[in-house]
Amino acid sequence: MKYILSLVFIFNIGGLVALAQSPPPPPPPLIYKAPEKNELKEFVSEDEKFQISFPGVPKVTKQELPNGKNTNYRVYRQGSNSVVSVTEFKFNLEKSKEKIYETIRTIILKAPKTKIEAERHIQLNAISGEEFDVLSDYQYQKIRVFIVGNKMYEIRNDVTNWHIIGDKTKKEFFDETNRFFDSFKFLENI
């Protein structure tokens, strides 16, 4: 009997040790939460070409490209990115707008499990652009693209875990995206 009790005891302790060594459970999924008004920050690009109201202070990254340069302004919040990306080329893009928009569509659709749910022609003052609603696996993105001279401006807001957030949270995301997009203004003479 002592022998059996000892085996049961060892078995239980062994199980507890094995449980103690198991990897911890994954963290809870990131669920989007719209920013509070006090988190909104007016931002003017260092070259004073545009302004926008970010949901926080953007991190700025720059990259040299073979035919120009790219500057990204990004605010990451729990489960969401708010981004303005400006790519400046060494040549004028105006005559190639439609071809550029077609290339953007192609690039979006090359990603696995990705579809364009809607595409709209948009206007910002006298400047025309395109807006894309993109569902990519668990991420939902709204993207606006404007081409002005030798620059391409991409304004993007995305959210992860689209498949598990409720209608109220989706509405908050759309409202915040509209606020973010509508706060974008060109400051240069165009």
Side-chain angles (χ1 to χ4, degrees), residues 2 13 59 62 65 76 88 93 101 104 114 125 137 178 182:
K2 282 186 182 182
I13 294 297
K59 178 181 176 186
K62 297 180 180 192
L65 304 171
Y76 172 76
E88 184 174 353
L93 303 170
Y101 293 139
I104 291 168
T114 299
N125 299 328
D137 203 13
N178 289 334
D182 292 345

Side-chain angles (χ1 to χ4, degrees), residues 34-184:
E36 302 291 329
K37 287 199 184 266
N38 64 351
E39 294 176 283
L40 302 179
K41 306 292 182 203
E42 289 298 320
F43 177 81
V44 176
S45 63
E46 66 269 3
D47 61 1
E48 298 184 354
K49 300 293 185 185
F50 72 89
Q51 76 179 37
I52 193 165
S53 177
F54 274 102
V57 177
K59 178 181 176 186
V60 181
T61 57
K62 297 180 180 192
Q63 179 180 12
E64 290 296 320
L65 304 171
N67 290 316
K69 62 183 176 179
N70 176 265
T71 306
N72 265 335
Y73 308 87
R74 176 181 178 248
V75 172
Y76 172 76
R77 298 182 75 251
Q78 178 174 320
S80 178
N81 288 287
S82 299
V83 179
V84 175
S85 179
V86 181
T87 306
E88 184 174 353
F89 294 90
K90 295 177 182 174
F91 47 86
N92 193 308
L93 303 170
E94 292 284 339
K95 292 182 180 178
S96 304
K97 277 185 177 184
E98 291 309 312
K99 187 172 183 172
I100 293 167
Y101 293 139
E102 185 58 39
T103 301
I104 291 168
R105 282 182 210 97
T106 301
I107 290 169
I108 290 170
L109 293 172
K110 280 188 178 181
K113 298 181 183 179
T114 299
K115 67 179 179 174
I116 297 173
E117 292 199 323
E119 181 178 348
R120 290 172 286 289
H121 182 73
I122 55 173
Q123 284 290 124
L124 178 60
N125 299 328
I127 301 167
S128 64
E130 291 295 311
E131 183 174 285
F132 302 91
D133 297 352
V134 180
L135 181 60
S136 183
D137 203 13
Y138 300 127
Q139 184 181 59
Y140 192 85
Q141 300 179 52
K142 290 189 68 80
I143 305 166
R144 280 190 177 175
V145 179
F146 295 102
I147 294 171
V148 181
N150 67 333
K151 294 179 184 169
M152 182 172 68
Y153 293 84
E154 175 190 347
I155 303 106
R156 178 173 42 95
N157 210 18
D158 65 41
V159 64
T160 59
N161 293 317
W162 189 251
H163 64 298
I164 61 173
I165 61 177
D167 290 341
K168 181 178 182 254
T169 304
K170 288 179 180 179
K171 182 184 179 323
E172 289 175 358
F173 169 74
F174 288 132
D175 289 349
E176 167 56 17
T177 299
N178 289 334
R179 184 214 57 81
F180 181 61
F181 283 3
D182 292 345
S183 74
F184 182 86

